[in-house]
Amino acid sequence: MNWKGVFPAVTTKFHKDGSLDMDLFFKNIDFQLEAGVHGIILGGTLGESSVLSQEEKITLTKETVDYVAGKVPVILNIAEGATQDALFWAAKAKELGASGLMILPPMRYAADAREVVAYFKAVANSTDLPIMIYNNPIDYKTLVTIDMFAELSECSNIQAIKESTRDISNVTRMINRFGDRYQLLCGVDTLAMEELLMGAVGWVAGLVCAFPKETVTIFNLVNEGKIEEARKIYRWFLPLLELDIHPKLVQYIKLAEYHCGIGSEYVRAPRLTLIGEERERIEKIIKEGISNRPSI
């Protein structure tokens, strides 16, 4: 598994009646692949995993694996409250042909460090799929500490970390402690270029769902050492990237996909589509971004 590159945390597309819209979903996937993304992540926060049925998750995974046909790895996110459910999805991901897993700490119950480590080890020891730990204490209230990662290092298939602590210096701390034992991917759009410059090798991205070319171009330019060229695009992108760090990031990013012609704004309850002043404000940011879009 090569964790280097841009990995879109793709949205799940719905029809107005709430059913899966696989045609629109694959239209977006086509744009991602054309832009040169390095993997696809299913069932994350942006994928509205918490409101998908088991059957829908299976359909989404199987059809995506079949559609992508090995062009890039397909990663399934696991965000469960029960260890037995996480084990089920690890086995199901393997069965459906996924290339790897992204895993959050236990949901709903605030597990302590010993319990979190045991949870991750249980999943890792149950599968040979490569794993990326999603470390997001801001949104999910559980910090996976450096000492916890030291314990997890004995699991060889725990290979990567989605770094979403919002502390850029944590990239340096991790590298100082572990060298290249873990591959670090930035999980916060507004910190991506900064973390790439400090040694992160990938970007689990959100606004890539609407702006794939720009996202991949920034990554490639940084990787090539063309920092000033990357900085110019990143400065244009930042007002849009800030849509990723709001509780309504799903609605905001889906609205951006809609205006870019590669998605719809339909979300599943309890989320609701935007209205009123909030909609006008977010559309203004999106439309200004589109009108000033750099030539790639």
Side-chain angles (χ1 to χ4, degrees):
M1 180 69 190
N2 182 4
W3 292 102
K4 186 175 183 179
V6 174
F7 288 73
V10 294
T11 62
T12 303
K13 310 299 188 290
F14 301 116
H15 294 288
K16 190 174 183 179
D17 66 3
S19 59
L20 292 180
D21 186 346
M22 296 306 297
D23 289 338
L24 187 57
F25 178 81
F26 289 134
K27 178 180 179 179
N28 187 280
I29 293 295
D30 285 340
F31 275 83
Q32 303 299 325
L33 295 175
E34 182 183 345
V37 301
H38 304 85
I40 300 291
I41 298 176
L42 302 174
T45 305
L46 278 175
E48 296 177 78
S49 177
S50 63
V51 294
L52 297 177
S53 70
Q54 185 177 105
E55 292 75 16
E56 287 171 327
K57 290 181 186 178
I58 290 171
T59 296
L60 193 65
T61 306
K62 183 179 186 305
E63 293 196 15
T64 302
V65 168
D66 290 346
Y67 189 83
V68 170
K71 296 183 182 71
V72 296
V74 175
I75 312 300
L76 181 64
N77 182 55
I78 294 178
E80 300 295 334
T83 300
Q84 64 185 13
D85 294 335
L87 295 174
F88 168 85
W89 283 112
K92 184 60 68 173
K94 175 78 172 182
E95 175 189 324
L96 296 172
S99 301
L101 304 170
M102 182 171 77
I103 309 180
L104 279 156
M107 305 298 288
R108 291 178 287 279
Y109 169 65
D112 67 18
R114 180 174 65 95
E115 292 168 326
V116 172
V117 168
Y119 175 83
F120 284 142
K121 284 185 175 181
V123 178
N125 291 334
S126 76
T127 182
D128 61 357
L129 287 177
I131 291 171
M132 174 166 58
I133 300 295
Y134 185 178
N135 193 13
N136 186 345
I138 303 299
D139 295 321
Y140 297 109
K141 312 308 177 188
T142 299
L143 173 66
V144 187
T145 66
I146 289 180
D147 287 342
M148 292 161 73
F149 280 118
E151 291 187 65
L152 293 169
S153 65
E154 68 185 50
C155 299
S156 61
N157 58 333
I158 298 180
Q159 300 174 354
I161 300 165
K162 181 181 177 182
E163 164 52 48
S164 298
T165 63
R166 303 195 190 182
D167 179 357
I168 295 170
S169 60
N170 208 43
V171 172
T172 301
R173 291 189 193 97
M174 291 293 293
I175 293 171
N176 284 348
R177 178 73 176 270
F178 299 111
D180 61 359
R181 166 63 184 83
Y182 293 112
Q183 300 296 294
L184 303 177
L185 292 81
C186 180
V188 182
D189 275 359
T190 56
L191 302 178
M193 183 167 170
E194 292 85 348
E195 290 201 357
L196 290 169
L197 288 169
M198 295 312 298
V201 301
W203 181 357
V204 178
L207 267 297
V208 67
C209 295
F211 299 93
K213 284 187 178 180
E214 292 82 357
T215 307
V216 173
T217 298
I218 290 169
F219 174 83
N220 288 340
L221 288 172
V222 172
N223 202 42
E224 294 164 9
K226 299 176 180 177
I227 307 306
E228 186 54 43
E229 293 176 54
R231 186 184 290 128
K232 183 177 180 181
I233 301 171
Y234 193 59
R235 285 175 176 165
W236 158 82
F237 211 179
L238 187 61
L240 292 159
L241 296 177
E242 288 176 331
L243 302 179
D244 182 58
I245 54 171
H246 188 276
K248 290 189 180 178
L249 76 163
V250 176
Q251 292 94 316
Y252 292 177
I253 291 174
K254 280 194 162 185
L255 190 59
E257 287 181 305
Y258 166 72
H259 281 289
C260 290
I262 55 174
S264 76
E265 62 176 309
Y266 298 132
V267 290
R268 186 170 280 180
R271 289 183 177 89
L272 299 173
T273 53
L274 303 177
I275 60 171
E277 182 278 332
E278 183 180 26
R279 183 185 183 89
E280 292 175 5
R281 176 167 45 84
I282 299 306
E283 282 191 315
K284 183 173 185 291
I285 294 169
I286 294 167
K287 290 177 179 178
E288 285 182 355
I290 292 172
S291 67
N292 297 318
R293 204 169 189 173
S295 176
I296 301 296

